[in-house]
């Protein structure tokens, strides 16, 4: 079959479709978004009746996928690294329940924080849950690993993690597909108590998980994704994990690496191969796209064995993603003489689109708060976080999804008046509702702006779970009707909106202001599609 | 054969459409290809780039190593300079001269052009004007691709075929317009290569 040019994300999606997937669940998040997007847009997936859906958040995704696994079918759940923090309860406990139909957690890490708050390494979570982790080095391996991952998951009745990073997720290469497999039929777990984590059952299941560890280790030695390649020069042995393996190869155009190399793409890391490397070589260089996890293990707390080089001894920078030059310099190649960037080149940070409704919201908020002074706006994550930059300088916090409402509450409890929260519509249903309930129950004095642009803007305009429901949710939770205020954020409405905002800032209780105007990007797209349809007709 | 190309521009300028056409032509030629793109936060009017790698042998890294790029192809003049550390000593810079100004501290245009003129191997052209003369400013990216074409080591016919493939659905007129844009850019480069 001819190779198809696919992003790493798309390769994973196509592999899942080919491997008999029955359901994929996700909350968008860079760099994982395109996986689910691909399945949602796939004609083939539609014909096969594959369920592909955006959920309220990563925890609900994970649980839905686990439910599909319970029913015997193959399920995938996708998220960005911080999404796994949200899904962590489901994730960790799913390693104790185990799986029935195959289930893969795809987690996309973002070293160097291209679009994220941190660069946490999901392999830690995988190890924490004690489940197999697959970390592809390229798009083809990503494709192949999905097939293998489902088989592994069903063989040991265990969830499997597929860990990727930004550069693989968002890079295209030719991928060869395998023949398609039928979906599983509905089939209940043989033991109908498998998924009941009452202590007595959980203790037994946990022992099963522990007893399975040697099997997981054996699988990692034989799956073929981990390899040992000998080299003549034993002064150094190299361990290259995931994508780092490519940067290693890149430094040897003829692919003749003088040192022995263990390529690690399947965890638990292959102890036998690594032991052989350690025995045969004078020192070890560890290349990891992420935290120095294997490096730390090899070093041990006291670092009294052979020399271990990597992120911890300064051979490689402690933070940020790898690239061919960083790896080259760790291998002892001279760093090339580079042309400099002329000093007149200015930074060009991302900014809110021209005409974005968030601009009008911030203009209102800034002016209304002028008399109280700066430093009281607790914001959240989305396009509106760009309100932190010039010329708005409108917000003071952005921590994790949903933290706006709850942090404003805490600050109000401490006596900060007024305390303002700013949260997007999609973020509100992701993690804001429970915080609002806390605030209502405590009659906290906070003013909450739910910026309703009717979409999940930041990640490219996916539907928002909040669509058409925000007032009802607020009412249902107990926000007083007269303190739910809907505005149209437009320059010509500025004075009218300002008066309403000022009024609510004075109110000693929970008030919710909903500036509502569609995202310019999704609006334009809708108009274009409409135009196209008309042209067709 | 190996061609490492940094495509540069500003979020929303459509550099990925250029990448898609080169990519299609490369695959039709039977070459290996890797293309790293930028998605997410920086797409909102920030600087964006794509690493496009073509080779007749398998390609390892998704990222072009610093100092190894054969070409920087930029649809915006300031952006072509941002990636100079990636350019090899013999590499070419092919850039549009029409600035995209969405920041308050955009450099003085004369000084900017002077920096570009200093580059030993460069092609600088006003792709918008050329495209507008042909019928629509929207074809500017194809003018840029045309200007890059003499350095790509891809058969020119393959690029024309790729354009036919991508614009075919939108009608013959658009295909012709974009072929003309490609040709105009190519002519400009050939006359200014010295
Ligand atoms: C736990 C977690 N999941 C996902 C993301 C990625 N993410 C950040 S903001 C956002 C969407 C925000 O949508 P919305 O609140 O509607 O704001 P908008 O971008 O539309 O202004 C997403 C998906 C994240 N940072 N953290
Ligand atoms: S994508 Fe939509 S929400 Fe985001 S900045 Fe642009 S208009 Fe605003």
């Amino acid at each position: 079959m001819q190779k198809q040019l696919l992003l790493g994300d798309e390769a994973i999606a196509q592999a899942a479709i080919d491997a008999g997937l029955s359901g994929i669940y996700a909350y968008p998040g860079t760099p994982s978004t395109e996986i689910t997007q691909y399945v949602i847009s796939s004609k083939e997936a539609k014909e096969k009746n594959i369920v592909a859906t955006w959920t309220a958040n990563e925890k609900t995704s994970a649980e839905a996928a686990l439910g599909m696994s319970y029913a015997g079918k193959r399920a995938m759940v996708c998220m960005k690294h911080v999404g796994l923090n949200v899904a962590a309860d489901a994730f960790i406990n799913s390693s104790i329940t185990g799986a029935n139909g195959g289930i893969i957690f795809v987690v996309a890490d973002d070293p160097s924080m291209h679009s994220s708050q941190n660069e946490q390494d999901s392999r830690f979570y995988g190890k924490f849950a004690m489940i197999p982790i697959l970390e592809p080095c390229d798009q083809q391996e990503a494709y192949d690993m999905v097939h293998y991952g489902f088989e592994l998951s069903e063989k040991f009745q265990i969830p499997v993690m597929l860990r990727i990073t930004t550069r693989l997720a968002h890079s295209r290469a030719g991928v060869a597909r395998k023949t398609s497999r039928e979906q599983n039929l509905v089939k209940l777990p043989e033991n109908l108590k498998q998924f009941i984590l009452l202590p007595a059952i959980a203790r037994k299941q946990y022992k099963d998980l522990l007893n399975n560890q040697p099997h997981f280790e054996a699988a990692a030695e034989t799956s073929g994704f981990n390899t040992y390649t000998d080299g003549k020069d034993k002064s150094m042995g190299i361990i290259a994990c995931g994508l780092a393996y490519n940067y290693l190869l890149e430094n040897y155009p003829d692919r003749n690496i003088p040192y022995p190399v263990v390529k690690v793409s399947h965890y638990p890391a292959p102890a036998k191969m690594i032991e052989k490397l350690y025995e045969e070589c004078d020192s070890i260089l560890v290349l990891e796209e992420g935290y120095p996890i294997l490096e730390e293990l090899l070093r041990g707390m006291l670092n009294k064995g052979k020399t271990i080089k990597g992120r911890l001894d300064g051979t490689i920078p402690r933070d940020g993603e790898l690239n061919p030059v960083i790896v080259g310099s760790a291998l002892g190649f001279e760093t090339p003489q580079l042309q400099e960037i002329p000093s007149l080149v200015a930074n060009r940070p991302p900014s809110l689109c021209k005409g974005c409704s968030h601009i009008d919201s911030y203009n209102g908020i800034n002016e209304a708060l002028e008399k109280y002074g700066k430093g009281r706006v607790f914001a959240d994550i989305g396009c509106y976080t760009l309100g932190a930059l010039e010329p708005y300088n409108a917000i003071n916090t952005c921590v994790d999804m949903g933290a706006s409402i709850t942090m404003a509450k805490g600050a109000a409890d401490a006596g900060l008046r007024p305390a303002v929260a700013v949260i997007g519509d999609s973020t509100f249903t992701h993690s804001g509702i429970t915080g609002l309930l806390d605030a209502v129950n405590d009659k906290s004095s906070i003013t909450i702006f739910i910026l309703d642009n009717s979409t999940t803007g930041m990640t490219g305009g996916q539907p928002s779970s909040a669509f058409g429901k925000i007032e009802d949710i607020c009412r249902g939770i107990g926000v007083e009707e007269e303190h739910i205020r809907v505005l149209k954020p437009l320059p010509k409405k500025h004075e009218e909106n300002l008066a309403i905002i000022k009024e609510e800032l004075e109110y000693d209780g929970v008030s919710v202001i909903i500036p509502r105007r569609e995202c310019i990007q999704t609006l334009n797209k809708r108009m274009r599609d409409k135009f196209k349809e008309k042209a067709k007709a | 054969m190996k061609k490492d190309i940094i495509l540069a521009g500003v979020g929303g300028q459509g550099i990925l459409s250029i990448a898609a056409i080169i990519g299609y032509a490369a695959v039709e030629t039977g070459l290996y290809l890797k293309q790293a793109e930028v998605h997410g936060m920086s797409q909102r009017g920030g600087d964006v780039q794509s690493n496009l790698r073509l080779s007749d042998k398998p390609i390892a890294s998704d990222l072009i190593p610093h100092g190894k790029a054969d070409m920087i192809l930029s649809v915006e003049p300031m952006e072509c300079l941002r990636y100079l550390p990636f350019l090899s000593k013999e590499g070419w810079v092919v850039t549009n001269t029409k600035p995209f100004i969405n920041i308050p501290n955009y450099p003085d245009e004369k000084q900017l052009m002077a920096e570009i003129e200093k580059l030993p191997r460069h092609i600088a052209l006003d792709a918008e004007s050329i495209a507008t003369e042909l019928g629509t400013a929207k074809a500017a990216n194809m003018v840029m691709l045309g200007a890059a074409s003499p350095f790509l080591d891809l058969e020119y016919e393959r690029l024309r075929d790729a354009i036919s493939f991508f614009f075919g659905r939108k009608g013959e007129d658009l295909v012709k317009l974009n072929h003309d844009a490609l040709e105009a850019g190519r002519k400009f480069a050939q006359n200014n290569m010295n």
Side-chain angles (χ1 to χ4, degrees), chain A residues 337-363:
Chain A
Q337 266 277 312
L338 302 178
Q339 298 187 49
E340 278 177 28
I341 303 174
S343 57
L344 59 68
V345 174
N347 283 338
R348 202 191 295 261
S351 53
L352 293 169
C353 303
K354 216 172 132 208
C356 172
S357 56
H358 298 334
I359 295 173
D360 300 298
S361 297
Y362 280 133
N363 286 341

Side-chain angles (χ1 to χ4, degrees), chain B residues 50-70:
Chain B
S50 170
N51 283 207
L52 187 58
R53 312 194 72 190
L54 317 177
S55 172
D56 52 10
K57 295 195 192 68
I59 302 161
S61 167
D62 297 273
L63 296 178
I64 297 170
H66 294 77
K68 292 279 173 68
D70 301 291

Side-chain angles (χ1 to χ4, degrees), chain A residues 303-419:
Chain A
N303 193 22
K304 288 201 159 163
K306 288 186 178 170
T307 305
I308 310 291
K309 293 184 273 195
R311 290 193 189 266
L312 295 172
D313 74 335
T315 301
I316 293 170
R318 182 64 181 78
D319 61 339
E321 64 179 348
L322 300 174
N323 63 43
V325 171
I326 289 176
V327 170
S329 101
L331 292 164
F333 292 112
E334 225 171 289
T335 22
Q337 266 277 312
L338 302 178
Q339 298 187 49
E340 278 177 28
I341 303 174
S343 57
L344 59 68
V345 174
N347 283 338
R348 202 191 295 261
S351 53
L352 293 169
C353 303
K354 216 172 132 208
C356 172
S357 56
H358 298 334
I359 295 173
D360 300 298
S361 297
Y362 280 133
N363 286 341
I365 293 170
N366 275 348
E367 193 174 332
L369 280 174
E370 234 162 53
K371 69 170 181 182
Y372 302 101
K374 289 237 162 253
R376 49 190 74 246
V377 180
F378 301 86
D380 229 298
I381 310 188
C383 283
Y384 53 97
T385 314
L386 296 171
L389 308 179
E390 293 286 349
Y392 317 104
N393 295 311
I395 65 169
N396 306 104
T397 70
C398 158
V399 183
D400 64 87
M401 288 187 79
S404 53
I405 298 178
T406 33
M407 282 182 72
K409 178 196 187 302
D413 289 349
L416 186 72
R417 297 284 151 80

Side-chain angles (χ1 to χ4, degrees), chain A residues 34 170-172 250 348 351, chain B residues 37 39 44 62 79 100:
Chain A
E34 292 79 4
H170 288 165
S171 172
R172 247 171 245 287
E250 182 70 29
R348 202 191 295 261
S351 53
Chain B
E37 305 171 359
H39 297 217
R44 305 260 163 286
D62 297 273
E79 294 307 321
F100 187 104

Side-chain angles (χ1 to χ4, degrees), chain A residues 141-449:
Chain A
E141 205 168 63
Y143 179 91
D144 296 340
M145 278 178 165
V146 170
H147 289 264
Y148 175 78
F150 277 126
E151 279 162 29
L152 190 69
S153 173
E154 285 175 0
K155 179 169 176 197
F156 293 111
Q157 298 208 327
I158 190 77
V160 167
M161 174 189 278
L162 182 66
R163 186 243 185 188
I164 57 171
T165 50
T166 307
R167 296 303 177 182
L168 177 65
H170 288 165
S171 172
R172 247 171 245 287
V175 173
R177 286 170 62 180
K178 294 179 195 283
T179 42
S180 283
R181 174 191 179 282
E182 290 293 313
Q183 292 178 42
N184 295 347
L185 299 175
V186 171
K187 180 174 165 281
L188 291 177
E190 267 165 39
N191 168 9
L192 282 178
K193 299 208 159 129
Q194 180 190 334
F195 286 77
I196 308 176
L197 294 186
L198 270 170
I201 301 173
R203 274 184 221 114
K204 186 192 153 294
Q205 303 257 124
Y206 181 53
K207 279 209 168 69
D208 291 345
L209 175 66
L210 294 174
N211 290 336
N212 258 332
Q213 295 302 309
H215 299 300
F216 298 166
E217 284 159 26
E221 299 276 353
T222 54
S223 65
F225 295 121
N226 297 330
T227 58
Y228 186 105
T229 316
D230 209 1
K232 282 206 186 89
D233 187 346
K234 309 278 189 212
S235 63
M236 184 166 81
I238 301 170
I239 298 175
C241 302
L243 206 57
Y245 183 67
N246 291 346
Y247 299 143
L248 171 64
L249 290 185
E250 182 70 29
N251 277 282
Y252 299 94
D254 57 2
R255 305 289 186 259
N256 277 328
I257 304 172
Y259 311 105
V261 176
V262 176
K263 165 183 176 285
V264 179
S265 285
H266 181 174
Y267 305 81
K272 281 187 196 136
M273 292 182 197
I274 291 175
E275 186 181 5
K276 181 168 145 80
L277 192 79
Y278 190 89
E279 294 298 328
E280 290 190 2
C281 302
D282 303 336
S283 65
I284 305 285
L285 171 66
V286 191
L287 304 171
E288 294 175 90
E289 182 75 315
Y291 286 8
I293 296 180
L294 280 193
E295 187 183 340
E296 221 168 359
L297 280 175
L298 277 174
R299 255 182 174 236
M301 190 191 242
L302 303 178
N303 193 22
K304 288 201 159 163
K306 288 186 178 170
T307 305
I308 310 291
K309 293 184 273 195
R311 290 193 189 266
L312 295 172
D313 74 335
T315 301
I316 293 170
R318 182 64 181 78
D319 61 339
E321 64 179 348
L322 300 174
N323 63 43
V325 171
I326 289 176
V327 170
S329 101
L331 292 164
F333 292 112
E334 225 171 289
T335 22
Q337 266 277 312
L338 302 178
Q339 298 187 49
E340 278 177 28
I341 303 174
S343 57
L344 59 68
V345 174
N347 283 338
R348 202 191 295 261
S351 53
L352 293 169
C353 303
K354 216 172 132 208
C356 172
S357 56
H358 298 334
I359 295 173
D360 300 298
S361 297
Y362 280 133
N363 286 341
I365 293 170
N366 275 348
E367 193 174 332
L369 280 174
E370 234 162 53
K371 69 170 181 182
Y372 302 101
K374 289 237 162 253
R376 49 190 74 246
V377 180
F378 301 86
D380 229 298
I381 310 188
C383 283
Y384 53 97
T385 314
L386 296 171
L389 308 179
E390 293 286 349
Y392 317 104
N393 295 311
I395 65 169
N396 306 104
T397 70
C398 158
V399 183
D400 64 87
M401 288 187 79
S404 53
I405 298 178
T406 33
M407 282 182 72
K409 178 196 187 302
D413 289 349
L416 186 72
R417 297 284 151 80
V420 175
V422 176
I423 186 167
D425 54 334
S426 179
T427 306
F428 176 64
T429 38
H430 178 288
S431 289
I433 298 175
T434 44
L436 179 61
L437 182 59
D438 283 348
V440 167
N441 285 346
D442 279 0
K443 298 199 169 35
S444 306
S445 184
I446 57 175
T447 309
I448 302 165
F449 288 82

